[in-house]
Amino acid sequence: MMQQHSRPAWVLARPRPWHSHHGSCQVCRSLLWRLRLALEKYLDIGEDMNVPDDFTQNEMVTGMWWRHLVAGGVAGAVSRTCTAPLDRLKVYLQVHGTKSTGIKTCLQHMLREGGFWSLWRGNGINVLKIAPESAIKFMSYEQAKRVIRGNQTRELTIYERFCAGSLAGGVSQTIIYPLEVMKTRLALRKTGQYKSIADAARKIYLLEGPRSFYRGYVPNLLGIIPYAGIDLAVYETLKNSYLRKHSTNESPSVLLLLACGTISSTTGQVCSYPLALVRTRLQAQAFTVITANSGGTISAQPCTMTSLIRDIFRNEGVPGLYRGLTPNFMKVAPAVAISYATYERCRETLGVNMT
């Protein structure tokens, strides 16, 4: 698993005190937005397609913002570690899954090949990349907001935040993308193939060159476009449909708006999942097409995004573009629960007060 796959979602969804206002008030809107981002994050299709959090001015001045980031980072590390077997199963199905191989078959193969602890392959680097990705995305998002806002002091609209968040996501993904490739390679490695993360990076560099660390980069960025567009379109369509059928003085309830957000984010994730699968396969396969040149020698040519999509569609049909979606959804509930519980404990330890 836009997992996927990144500041943990509960940093983005910091709980706020509940009250009796209607769902249209600013506090409710803020809470709903954060809850939507939490749900989006744990569908984890493209590593991180959500919009970073807006910290209050008081949090920025007092330094509470970095405590939120630390608590969220710890929560993300614990959550990813606990759900790593499902994440590796998803990656394995994306790359090696066929019509005749299901979840049970792939799980049995992984256990036979590497034993119980092999289910956590790739988790180390998945945890290590939390800090740099969060820092880069946070700084990029703040700079993007300043550019969009200009000299004004107004709040950004939801669409402007999406633009700023997409730009920040693109910057962070560009910088830390080699770690994404390393995560996929380490998750799919055979027993004894690599001695460590450094050994894996050295071998990949020597055998395949520096460009291999950016394989799948294009579909990874392209996945943000359908996800963000579909998410916004479905959310606004559902909400407006409700408003047309009810009194204009009746504000949508919090639960209704949350349901709209859940449906829209899920739809966006599912629609952009094929690009996530193609990205993962490109990351995993250095050279996949064998051709003969005029001299009669055999050479390996890198597989392209379009050729890979054609091959998957021709050999496996539409279901082939959704391999690994089931374990991806299976990890949503435990990931959210573990991350929330860990975040709350870290928040209390660091003395972070909810504002």
Short mmCIF file of all heavy atoms in Angstrom, two decimals, residues 218-244:
data_model
loop_
_atom_site.label_atom_id
_atom_site.label_comp_id
_atom_site.label_asym_id
_atom_site.label_seq_id
_atom_site.Cartn_x
_atom_site.Cartn_y
_atom_site.Cartn_z
N VAL A 218 6.55 8.20 -11.99
CA VAL A 218 5.49 8.86 -12.76
C VAL A 218 4.10 8.40 -12.33
O VAL A 218 3.24 9.23 -12.02
CB VAL A 218 5.71 8.67 -14.28
CG1 VAL A 218 4.51 9.23 -15.06
CG2 VAL A 218 6.98 9.37 -14.73
N PRO A 219 3.80 7.09 -12.32
CA PRO A 219 2.46 6.69 -11.86
C PRO A 219 2.20 7.06 -10.40
O PRO A 219 1.05 7.27 -10.01
CB PRO A 219 2.45 5.16 -12.05
CG PRO A 219 3.88 4.76 -12.15
CD PRO A 219 4.58 5.93 -12.78
N ASN A 220 3.24 7.16 -9.61
CA ASN A 220 3.06 7.57 -8.21
C ASN A 220 2.52 9.00 -8.14
O ASN A 220 1.58 9.28 -7.38
CB ASN A 220 4.39 7.47 -7.48
CG ASN A 220 4.25 7.78 -6.00
OD1 ASN A 220 3.52 7.11 -5.29
ND2 ASN A 220 4.94 8.81 -5.54
N LEU A 221 3.09 9.92 -8.93
CA LEU A 221 2.60 11.29 -8.93
C LEU A 221 1.26 11.41 -9.65
O LEU A 221 0.40 12.18 -9.24
CB LEU A 221 3.63 12.21 -9.60
CG LEU A 221 4.92 12.48 -8.82
CD1 LEU A 221 5.75 13.53 -9.53
CD2 LEU A 221 4.64 12.93 -7.40
N LEU A 222 1.09 10.64 -10.73
CA LEU A 222 -0.18 10.69 -11.46
C LEU A 222 -1.34 10.22 -10.60
O LEU A 222 -2.48 10.63 -10.82
CB LEU A 222 -0.09 9.83 -12.73
CG LEU A 222 0.80 10.34 -13.86
CD1 LEU A 222 0.81 9.35 -15.01
CD2 LEU A 222 0.33 11.71 -14.33
N GLY A 223 -1.08 9.36 -9.65
CA GLY A 223 -2.14 8.85 -8.79
C GLY A 223 -2.79 9.92 -7.94
O GLY A 223 -3.93 9.78 -7.51
N ILE A 224 -2.08 11.02 -7.70
CA ILE A 224 -2.64 12.11 -6.90
C ILE A 224 -3.78 12.79 -7.64
O ILE A 224 -4.77 13.21 -7.03
CB ILE A 224 -1.55 13.14 -6.57
CG1 ILE A 224 -0.46 12.49 -5.72
CG2 ILE A 224 -2.13 14.36 -5.85
CD1 ILE A 224 0.71 13.41 -5.42
N ILE A 225 -3.69 12.86 -8.97
CA ILE A 225 -4.68 13.60 -9.76
C ILE A 225 -6.07 12.97 -9.68
O ILE A 225 -7.04 13.64 -9.29
CB ILE A 225 -4.21 13.75 -11.21
CG1 ILE A 225 -2.88 14.52 -11.24
CG2 ILE A 225 -5.27 14.46 -12.06
CD1 ILE A 225 -2.24 14.56 -12.61
N PRO A 226 -6.25 11.68 -10.06
CA PRO A 226 -7.59 11.10 -9.95
C PRO A 226 -8.08 10.99 -8.52
O PRO A 226 -9.27 11.16 -8.26
CB PRO A 226 -7.43 9.71 -10.58
CG PRO A 226 -5.97 9.40 -10.46
CD PRO A 226 -5.28 10.72 -10.61
N TYR A 227 -7.16 10.73 -7.59
CA TYR A 227 -7.58 10.61 -6.20
C TYR A 227 -8.18 11.91 -5.68
O TYR A 227 -9.30 11.95 -5.16
CB TYR A 227 -6.40 10.19 -5.32
CG TYR A 227 -6.70 10.40 -3.86
CD1 TYR A 227 -7.58 9.55 -3.20
CD2 TYR A 227 -6.13 11.45 -3.17
CE1 TYR A 227 -7.89 9.76 -1.87
CE2 TYR A 227 -6.43 11.66 -1.84
CZ TYR A 227 -7.30 10.83 -1.19
OH TYR A 227 -7.61 11.04 0.11
N ALA A 228 -7.43 13.01 -5.82
CA ALA A 228 -7.89 14.29 -5.30
C ALA A 228 -9.16 14.76 -6.01
O ALA A 228 -10.11 15.24 -5.39
CB ALA A 228 -6.79 15.34 -5.45
N GLY A 229 -9.19 14.59 -7.34
CA GLY A 229 -10.36 15.03 -8.11
C GLY A 229 -11.62 14.26 -7.78
O GLY A 229 -12.69 14.83 -7.56
N ILE A 230 -11.50 12.93 -7.74
CA ILE A 230 -12.66 12.09 -7.45
C ILE A 230 -13.13 12.29 -6.03
O ILE A 230 -14.33 12.36 -5.74
CB ILE A 230 -12.32 10.61 -7.71
CG1 ILE A 230 -12.08 10.39 -9.20
CG2 ILE A 230 -13.45 9.68 -7.23
CD1 ILE A 230 -11.50 9.03 -9.54
N ASP A 231 -12.20 12.40 -5.10
CA ASP A 231 -12.55 12.60 -3.70
C ASP A 231 -13.38 13.88 -3.53
O ASP A 231 -14.44 13.87 -2.91
CB ASP A 231 -11.26 12.68 -2.87
CG ASP A 231 -11.54 12.88 -1.39
OD1 ASP A 231 -12.61 12.44 -0.93
OD2 ASP A 231 -10.70 13.47 -0.70
N LEU A 232 -12.90 14.98 -4.10
CA LEU A 232 -13.62 16.24 -3.99
C LEU A 232 -14.97 16.18 -4.69
O LEU A 232 -15.99 16.63 -4.16
CB LEU A 232 -12.78 17.37 -4.60
CG LEU A 232 -11.83 18.12 -3.66
CD1 LEU A 232 -11.06 19.16 -4.43
CD2 LEU A 232 -12.60 18.76 -2.52
N ALA A 233 -15.00 15.60 -5.90
CA ALA A 233 -16.23 15.56 -6.68
C ALA A 233 -17.32 14.75 -5.98
O ALA A 233 -18.48 15.18 -5.89
CB ALA A 233 -15.95 14.99 -8.07
N VAL A 234 -16.97 13.56 -5.50
CA VAL A 234 -17.95 12.70 -4.83
C VAL A 234 -18.43 13.35 -3.54
O VAL A 234 -19.64 13.33 -3.23
CB VAL A 234 -17.35 11.31 -4.56
CG1 VAL A 234 -18.31 10.46 -3.72
CG2 VAL A 234 -17.04 10.60 -5.87
N TYR A 235 -17.53 13.93 -2.78
CA TYR A 235 -17.90 14.56 -1.51
C TYR A 235 -18.88 15.69 -1.73
O TYR A 235 -19.93 15.77 -1.07
CB TYR A 235 -16.65 15.07 -0.80
CG TYR A 235 -16.94 15.74 0.53
CD1 TYR A 235 -17.27 14.98 1.65
CD2 TYR A 235 -16.88 17.13 0.64
CE1 TYR A 235 -17.55 15.60 2.87
CE2 TYR A 235 -17.16 17.75 1.85
CZ TYR A 235 -17.49 16.97 2.96
OH TYR A 235 -17.77 17.60 4.15
N GLU A 236 -18.57 16.58 -2.66
CA GLU A 236 -19.45 17.72 -2.92
C GLU A 236 -20.78 17.25 -3.51
O GLU A 236 -21.83 17.82 -3.21
CB GLU A 236 -18.76 18.70 -3.87
CG GLU A 236 -17.57 19.41 -3.27
CD GLU A 236 -17.95 20.27 -2.07
OE1 GLU A 236 -19.05 20.85 -2.07
OE2 GLU A 236 -17.15 20.32 -1.10
N THR A 237 -20.77 16.23 -4.36
CA THR A 237 -22.01 15.70 -4.96
C THR A 237 -22.94 15.14 -3.90
O THR A 237 -24.15 15.42 -3.89
CB THR A 237 -21.69 14.62 -6.00
OG1 THR A 237 -20.87 15.18 -7.04
CG2 THR A 237 -22.97 14.06 -6.61
N LEU A 238 -22.41 14.33 -3.00
CA LEU A 238 -23.22 13.74 -1.94
C LEU A 238 -23.78 14.80 -1.01
O LEU A 238 -24.96 14.77 -0.63
CB LEU A 238 -22.40 12.72 -1.16
CG LEU A 238 -21.99 11.44 -1.90
CD1 LEU A 238 -21.05 10.61 -1.04
CD2 LEU A 238 -23.22 10.62 -2.28
N LYS A 239 -22.94 15.74 -0.63
CA LYS A 239 -23.38 16.80 0.29
C LYS A 239 -24.44 17.67 -0.35
O LYS A 239 -25.47 17.98 0.27
CB LYS A 239 -22.19 17.64 0.72
CG LYS A 239 -22.53 18.66 1.81
CD LYS A 239 -21.33 19.48 2.20
CE LYS A 239 -20.95 20.44 1.09
NZ LYS A 239 -19.87 21.38 1.48
N ASN A 240 -24.23 18.08 -1.60
CA ASN A 240 -25.19 18.93 -2.29
C ASN A 240 -26.49 18.20 -2.56
O ASN A 240 -27.57 18.81 -2.57
CB ASN A 240 -24.59 19.45 -3.60
CG ASN A 240 -23.44 20.41 -3.37
OD1 ASN A 240 -23.38 21.06 -2.32
ND2 ASN A 240 -22.54 20.51 -4.33
N SER A 241 -26.41 16.89 -2.82
CA SER A 241 -27.62 16.09 -3.02
C SER A 241 -28.49 16.12 -1.77
O SER A 241 -29.72 16.22 -1.85
CB SER A 241 -27.25 14.66 -3.38
OG SER A 241 -28.41 13.85 -3.50
N TYR A 242 -27.86 16.04 -0.62
CA TYR A 242 -28.61 16.10 0.65
C TYR A 242 -29.23 17.49 0.82
O TYR A 242 -30.41 17.62 1.21
CB TYR A 242 -27.67 15.80 1.81
CG TYR A 242 -28.31 16.03 3.17
CD1 TYR A 242 -29.06 15.03 3.77
CD2 TYR A 242 -28.17 17.25 3.82
CE1 TYR A 242 -29.66 15.25 5.01
CE2 TYR A 242 -28.76 17.48 5.05
CZ TYR A 242 -29.50 16.47 5.65
OH TYR A 242 -30.09 16.70 6.86
N LEU A 243 -28.48 18.53 0.53
CA LEU A 243 -28.97 19.89 0.73
C LEU A 243 -30.15 20.20 -0.18
O LEU A 243 -31.05 20.95 0.20
CB LEU A 243 -27.84 20.89 0.48
CG LEU A 243 -26.68 20.86 1.50
CD1 LEU A 243 -25.58 21.81 1.07
CD2 LEU A 243 -27.18 21.20 2.89
N ARG A 244 -30.18 19.64 -1.40
CA ARG A 244 -31.29 19.89 -2.32
C ARG A 244 -32.60 19.27 -1.83
O ARG A 244 -33.68 19.74 -2.15
CB ARG A 244 -30.95 19.33 -3.71
CG ARG A 244 -29.97 20.20 -4.50
CD ARG A 244 -29.95 19.80 -5.96
NE ARG A 244 -29.52 18.42 -6.13
CZ ARG A 244 -28.27 18.06 -6.33
NH1 ARG A 244 -27.32 18.98 -6.37
NH2 ARG A 244 -27.95 16.79 -6.49
#
